[in-house]
Amino acid sequence: MNSIADLEFFTRLIAQGSLSALARELGITPPAVSARLAQLEKRLGVRLLNRTTRQIAMTQEGEMYLRAGSKLLVEVQELEQLVSSSRDIPRGLLKVNATFGFGRRHIVPALSAFTHQYPAVQVQLDLTDRPLNLAESAFDVGIRFGDLPDSRLVARKLAVNRRFVCAAPDYLKVHGMPTSPEDLRSHRCIVLRENDSAFGTWHFNKGKRNQTVKVHGVMSSNDGEATLQWALQGHGVLARSEWDVGQYLDNGTLVRLLPDWSLPSADIYAVYPERLNLSAKVRVFIDFLEALLAPLQQERR
């Protein structure tokens, strides 16, 4: 039998003043109340009440149990209110993991705006080149791209994220404009080494046509920002997320190549370890981030 439930039962019994009164309140028979009381006394190994059919009187042990138990019940109620209120008001430490490039460009300002709106939240942001294990590192939220191989995580899509092939105008003046994915074999391509996938292999599709190209170049890095800077400086052709290169395509410092061909998308997700009973800080932050990214995506479209 649950100890807290026993305390609640006993305090309600004393408040009602008789077994029959409590039975009427609970909608059960007086013998059922009597049996419950007998179970409690047997578990504790003491007699709590001297009782007749019409009245009850606490023993010394019963008075002790009621006095200390009432304080415990108040503390439990206060604790439950404190914990459950975290579902309504964002508060406490929010731990977020994101990649360096997207994290610096979008998550850093998002968290700044979030903490201005919800000052009871403290933020810890860890930017890494590879996604961290959220459970092992005790993170609340991770920002992920593309396919999510870990089925233990719950994912919520925040934004669509296409990938483009692009190059600087200065590079294209010298090396020419590719007209098919196959042309990229003869171009200087900038390769991003990320995760554990085979790098330098680009997959294109156009309707039902699929083409895989193994590209080559003299520059590669495991840091997306480094490859982007090299592309801007005219060192070669780059495959990159629209969230990273969109502004440069808009202002003409990069040119999109092969617009009729598509690369696999890398949609943006917020992932978290638990499906139920999300705290307010996690639930509200994910809502906040989705709302923040939506107008940026509208502008880009």
Side-chain angles (χ1 to χ4, degrees):
M1 191 67 67
N2 183 286
S3 299
I4 298 299
D6 281 346
L7 278 172
E8 291 176 338
F9 164 78
F10 189 71
T11 55
R12 291 176 73 176
L13 175 57
I14 298 304
Q16 290 297 324
S18 71
L19 302 180
S20 57
L22 181 59
R24 286 193 298 272
E25 182 191 358
L26 298 177
I28 58 178
T29 65
V33 174
S34 181
R36 174 75 184 276
L37 177 60
Q39 279 186 318
L40 172 58
E41 291 179 325
K42 181 179 180 181
R43 184 174 70 82
L44 295 177
V46 296
R47 191 172 184 83
L48 298 175
L49 294 177
N50 293 316
R51 51 198 181 272
T52 66
T53 55
R54 293 186 176 275
Q55 61 182 6
I56 55 176
M58 283 187 289
T59 63
Q60 183 178 357
E61 290 79 9
E63 290 177 354
M64 184 190 308
Y65 185 66
L66 178 67
R67 183 170 58 251
S70 297
K71 293 179 182 178
L72 285 175
L73 285 176
V74 170
E75 291 177 357
V76 168
Q77 290 169 356
E78 291 176 348
L79 175 61
E80 289 181 345
Q81 289 174 358
L82 177 63
V83 172
S84 63
S85 68
S86 69
R87 284 190 52 81
D88 303 319
I89 304 173
R91 65 174 73 249
L93 178 62
L94 177 67
K95 297 181 66 177
V96 181
N97 172 233
T99 54
F100 282 111
F102 188 81
R104 288 170 180 154
R105 193 170 292 114
H106 297 289
I107 303 303
V108 168
L111 285 169
S112 174
F114 184 74
T115 53
H116 278 306
Q117 189 166 336
Y118 301 100
V121 176
Q122 298 89 47
V123 165
Q124 177 182 321
L125 172 64
D126 276 35
L127 299 179
T128 54
D129 59 340
R130 298 187 182 202
L132 296 179
N133 185 302
L134 298 187
E136 290 179 1
S137 307
F139 279 89
D140 298 300
V141 183
I143 308 302
R144 301 286 184 267
F145 295 83
D147 295 333
L148 303 169
D150 193 340
S151 60
R152 295 168 297 178
L153 295 176
V154 182
R156 178 166 156 191
K157 184 188 285 191
L158 299 175
V160 172
N161 184 32
R162 298 171 296 174
R163 296 173 67 237
F164 299 145
V165 177
C166 53
D170 289 345
Y171 172 86
L172 296 173
K173 286 179 183 177
V174 176
H175 299 277
M177 182 82 72
T179 59
S180 72
E182 189 66 27
D183 292 345
L184 295 176
R185 296 184 190 276
S186 60
H187 275 265
R188 298 167 63 91
C189 294
I190 301 169
V191 177
L192 176 62
R193 304 189 310 273
E194 57 183 351
N195 302 327
D196 295 317
S197 57
F199 61 90
T201 302
W202 294 355
H203 304 276
F204 293 87
N205 67 79
K206 179 181 181 182
K208 295 182 179 180
R209 296 174 59 191
N210 296 289
Q211 192 166 349
T212 299
V213 179
K214 179 67 175 178
V215 299
H216 302 279
V218 296
M219 306 187 82
S220 67
S221 175
N222 67 337
D223 179 50
E225 284 296 302
T227 61
L228 176 57
Q229 290 304 314
W230 290 337
L232 290 168
Q233 293 159 12
H235 288 286
V237 177
L238 177 68
R240 203 79 183 110
S241 158
E242 68 174 308
W243 285 89
D244 295 321
V245 299
Q247 61 179 308
Y248 304 109
L249 296 176
D250 292 342
N251 62 29
T253 51
L254 288 176
V255 176
R256 184 181 175 187
L257 311 178
L258 307 174
D260 294 336
W261 290 85
S262 300
L263 290 167
S265 63
D267 294 341
I268 305 167
Y269 293 87
V271 298
Y272 45 96
E274 298 177 2
R275 184 180 299 276
L276 299 175
N277 299 322
L278 277 182
S279 64
K281 62 185 179 184
V282 174
R283 177 169 42 82
V284 174
F285 174 64
I286 293 174
D287 290 343
F288 183 89
L289 191 56
E290 183 178 28
L292 200 66
L293 294 179
L296 297 177
Q297 183 164 264
Q298 293 279 346
E299 292 175 10
R300 192 150 291 139
R301 290 290 178 270

